[in-house]
Amino acid sequence: MEINEKELMDTLLESLALLAGVTGGYATLTDIYGQRIKTVNSKGEELPDMKGKMYDLAQKAGKENRPIVGPSQIEEGAEAWVIPIAGLYVLCCSNVERVQREVNLRNSLEKALPMIAKVVGGEAVIFDKEGRRTSSFNPDGSINRKYINQISKAALKAMEKNEPVIGESISFDEALAVRIPITPNFGFGFNNEIVTQKNKILMDEVKKFQFARYNFSDIIGRNEAFLKVVDQAKHIASSSSTVLIYGETGTGKELFAQSIHNASERRNKPFVAINCGALPATLIESSLFGYEEGAFTGAKKGGAPGAFEQADGGTIFLDEISEMELNLQTKILRVLQEREITRIGGKKPLRINVRVISSTNKDLAKLISENKFRSDLYFRLNVLQIRVIPLRERKDDIPLLTRYFIRKQNNLLGKYVEGISRETLNILKEYQWPGNVRELQNCVEYALNMMGEGEYVILPQHLPPVFRPDDRSMETINKLTDQIGTLTLGQIVMETEKIAIEKALAATKYKKKDAADMLGISTITLWRKMQQFNDQQ
């Protein structure tokens, strides 16, 4: 059958727009020698500048009379296929626009990496089809050059399977990372570095005491009412009943808990302290009860024991029990009733023998009336009670405590301070100490740091700013109160709070937890107020 050359060319020319649209690139018809007759893009638009130009790949296909796959002549990195037709023409198509879209997508993702890293709170990376990191940014938006060009087996697996893969991060121990293939040539991943860091810090904080270091001999005081509290604690130490210690922040509740443990028959067994206010509910549950392998994403191989298991035979101290969420209170109640725990993800209950000592700086009876604390748990915890009196109720102990802290800080700071002036001591006695003994300790440490060479006695000028209202602060407060009628009470209070917070932060060397204790508020409240002040600037 004889081929009509004109009809064939017309048919091929008409098909170019369809082919270009389907392949997402350019379609070209050349003669058998590779000279372009017509070239169109994926929209079917002709590229007149390309007419008459030679296409080497088409020339080779025409000469060898076989289909060939090779590089595009128009776009570097794109692929093209060429097919000789009837020994007269060569039909060519490329994936140029798909490659361009991939390049644009990759460039956009590259620009977004620093922001992604900041939002997810971890390292954000781009990797190639071999799982090799080509770009990496830290949570603070800086480039992480340390791991660029390193291959992640999990990233390679994601590219090979063409599906997301979750596993351990290669750049941060204990962090989890997600690897997501975007195209056959590259993928994107990120880890939870900051969350892991915070959780580790929290876990270190709540589990920092695996033993009790303090004894009743470490409790300083001669105040009559205070000594009665100490005697009461000594008396109940030999019991195995639960103890609830009441007291404001900084009064030394944990000091009493450790002393009770060390005076009991359990002294040679573990003492495990858990700060119920420092951990979110999900984390504190695994901390208290432990978990089995595979109980949740990131669970360690073999599982892990919780605080109750670790304290078996000894004492567990539940600090800030009032901060525990209601659903967790129910589980604690069951532990106290049944004397057994079940790990997260576990089925078999484990018998335990622990003495529970808890503490609170809040009125639990009031929380019960507000449905924020279970009454049945309260009665289980409140078998034996101890109320640690605040420093303002034992001000006659301030000289004794001050001299004790001076000796202690002399050793820690390498100082040779001999004492404190009567005038300075009177200032301390007049203060109300919202942060109690802990605040007094911080105050002495601050004073020793402020003392110069040749100064051996603490004077008023060495005390934190909170004891020395400066003219600027008083002037500001006076100006605010002079504007009553113009400013609302809320505005005046907010500005006054700002001054107080600035002084407390300065007095504690910007340790937010200590500043919150000094102000008699929670760390969360301090953070919130600081954020309010920042937003107003």
Side-chain angles (χ1 to χ4, degrees):
M1 177 177 159
E2 185 175 345
I3 297 175
N4 186 319
E5 184 175 342
K6 184 176 182 310
E7 287 183 1
L8 176 61
M9 185 176 73
D10 289 342
T11 300
L12 292 173
L13 289 174
E14 288 177 4
S15 69
L16 287 183
L18 177 63
L19 290 171
V22 170
T23 59
Y26 297 101
T28 297
L29 184 67
T30 74
D31 61 23
I32 200 65
Y33 304 108
Q35 186 173 17
R36 293 179 184 263
I37 299 172
K38 185 178 181 180
T39 300
V40 300
N41 61 22
S42 61
K43 297 179 180 179
E45 300 167 340
E46 183 177 1
L47 279 65
D49 293 344
M50 300 299 295
K51 189 173 183 178
K53 290 187 177 181
M54 294 298 297
Y55 188 8
D56 296 340
L57 196 64
Q59 185 183 45
K60 182 179 180 181
K63 183 177 180 180
E64 298 178 4
N65 194 30
R66 66 183 181 88
I68 298 176
V69 175
S72 167
Q73 189 180 35
I74 300 175
E75 184 73 24
E76 184 179 355
E79 289 185 331
W81 51 262
V82 293
I83 303 175
I85 305 293
L88 298 171
Y89 305 103
V90 179
L91 188 61
C92 316
C93 283
S94 70
N95 63 350
V96 171
E97 291 188 4
R98 182 180 65 79
V99 171
Q100 286 178 335
R101 285 195 297 271
E102 182 171 318
V103 170
N104 291 337
L105 174 61
R106 182 172 182 140
N107 289 339
S108 296
L109 189 57
E110 184 94 35
K111 292 178 181 178
L113 272 190
M115 293 176 281
I116 294 172
K118 185 175 181 180
V119 170
V120 301
E123 184 188 19
V125 304
I126 292 177
F127 49 83
D128 61 20
K129 59 185 178 183
E130 296 176 348
R132 180 181 289 104
R133 295 185 182 200
T134 57
S135 300
S136 176
F137 284 85
N138 294 313
D140 61 2
S142 63
I143 298 175
N144 186 351
R145 303 183 189 278
K146 183 177 179 181
Y147 292 96
I148 288 181
N149 291 326
Q150 286 204 20
I151 293 178
S152 163
K153 292 182 181 179
L156 175 60
K157 183 179 179 181
M159 296 303 293
E160 290 175 344
K161 296 177 66 176
N162 192 32
E163 61 183 39
V165 171
I166 186 170
E168 294 182 358
S169 170
I170 68 172
S171 59
F172 192 83
D173 290 342
E174 300 183 18
L176 291 176
V178 178
R179 288 87 173 183
I180 305 170
I182 303 299
T183 75
N185 295 311
F186 75 93
F188 157 69
F190 57 88
N191 65 28
N192 63 343
E193 177 180 331
I194 287 183
V195 171
T196 303
Q197 281 179 327
K198 288 182 177 179
N199 286 348
K200 187 176 186 305
I201 291 171
L202 287 170
M203 290 303 295
D204 289 344
E205 174 68 22
V206 297
K207 291 187 177 180
K208 63 182 177 181
F209 295 126
Q210 295 296 320
F211 64 95
R213 70 177 82 178
Y214 296 114
N215 296 283
F216 283 114
S217 59
D218 296 304
I219 298 178
I220 310 299
R222 293 176 183 165
N223 174 272
E224 184 177 351
F226 183 71
L227 288 177
K228 287 183 179 179
V229 175
V230 176
D231 287 341
Q232 179 191 10
K234 289 179 179 178
H235 181 71
I236 67 174
S238 59
S239 171
S240 60
S241 298
T242 57
V243 181
L244 182 58
I245 304 176
Y246 295 89
E248 297 177 6
T249 298
T251 51
K253 296 186 293 295
E254 184 156 357
L255 183 63
F256 272 83
Q258 291 192 32
S259 299
I260 290 171
H261 171 80
N262 277 334
S264 74
E265 294 179 353
R266 298 172 181 263
R267 67 178 68 87
N268 295 321
K269 297 295 184 178
F271 175 90
V272 180
I274 292 289
N275 188 330
C276 302
L279 294 175
T282 51
L283 191 55
I284 194 173
E285 185 172 358
S286 62
S287 300
L288 287 171
F289 307 122
Y291 56 85
E292 297 289 357
E293 180 177 342
F296 48 82
T297 302
K300 291 181 180 179
K301 187 175 182 180
F308 277 100
E309 283 184 72
Q310 295 171 32
D312 192 29
T315 303
I316 186 169
F317 176 55
L318 303 178
D319 194 14
E320 297 186 32
I321 189 72
S322 58
E323 302 301 318
M324 184 176 288
E325 295 189 3
L326 284 170
N327 66 320
L328 209 51
Q329 291 179 29
T330 304
K331 296 182 179 181
I332 293 293
L333 177 62
R334 185 180 182 280
V335 172
L336 295 177
Q337 291 172 335
E338 306 296 333
R339 294 293 170 178
E340 62 183 26
I341 60 101
T342 302
R343 289 186 179 186
I344 296 175
K347 297 179 180 178
K348 183 180 178 181
L350 303 172
R351 296 292 297 177
I352 55 166
N353 172 24
V354 295
R355 184 181 193 181
V356 177
I357 301 178
S358 54
S359 74
T360 179
N361 60 4
K362 294 183 179 178
D363 184 349
L364 292 185
K366 182 180 179 183
L367 293 180
I368 291 171
S369 67
E370 296 172 352
N371 294 321
K372 295 180 180 178
F373 200 85
R374 292 182 62 107
S375 59
D376 45 6
L377 176 59
Y378 170 73
F379 293 123
R380 282 283 180 177
L381 296 173
N382 198 38
V383 176
L384 299 173
Q385 315 90 28
I386 293 176
R387 176 182 177 268
V388 185
I389 63 177
L391 186 56
R392 64 179 175 275
E393 294 181 18
R394 47 182 291 224
K395 288 189 176 182
D396 50 332
D397 278 339
I398 288 177
L400 180 64
L401 288 165
T402 301
R403 287 192 290 269
Y404 170 78
F405 290 135
I406 289 174
R407 290 194 301 271
K408 183 178 178 180
Q409 294 302 325
N410 273 339
N411 293 330
L412 292 174
L413 302 175
K415 297 280 188 175
Y416 303 95
V417 176
E418 297 173 355
I420 182 169
S421 73
R422 183 178 297 277
E423 180 187 2
T424 311
L425 205 52
N426 288 334
I427 293 174
L428 298 185
K429 288 181 178 179
E430 291 174 2
Y431 186 60
Q432 291 303 302
W433 299 105
N436 291 292
V437 178
R438 185 186 295 126
E439 184 182 0
L440 177 59
Q441 181 176 354
N442 291 339
C443 173
V444 173
E445 182 180 354
Y446 178 93
L448 264 65
N449 277 289
M450 293 298 104
M451 296 176 71
E453 188 176 349
E455 293 183 309
Y456 302 105
V457 176
I458 298 178
L459 300 174
Q461 60 264 32
H462 299 136
L463 296 178
V466 70
F467 296 93
R468 300 176 282 107
D470 55 75
D471 294 338
R472 181 181 59 83
S473 298
M474 294 308 299
E475 181 182 351
T476 302
I477 292 172
N478 288 334
K479 285 182 178 179
L480 288 170
T481 54
D482 286 343
Q483 295 183 65
I484 293 174
T486 302
L487 296 178
T488 65
L489 179 60
Q491 290 171 319
I492 295 172
V493 170
M494 183 173 291
E495 288 300 320
T496 307
E497 282 184 345
K498 184 177 180 181
I499 294 171
I501 288 174
E502 288 173 348
K503 285 181 173 292
L505 288 169
T508 57
K509 294 184 287 190
Y510 293 88
K511 296 177 182 177
K512 295 180 178 63
K513 187 177 186 306
D514 292 343
D517 290 341
M518 180 178 287
L519 293 164
I521 59 177
S522 68
T523 308
I524 295 174
T525 300
L526 177 62
W527 274 102
R528 178 172 52 79
K529 288 184 178 295
M530 290 174 64
Q531 187 61 52
Q532 284 179 334
F533 300 147
N534 290 335
D535 291 343
Q536 290 176 343
Q537 293 178 355

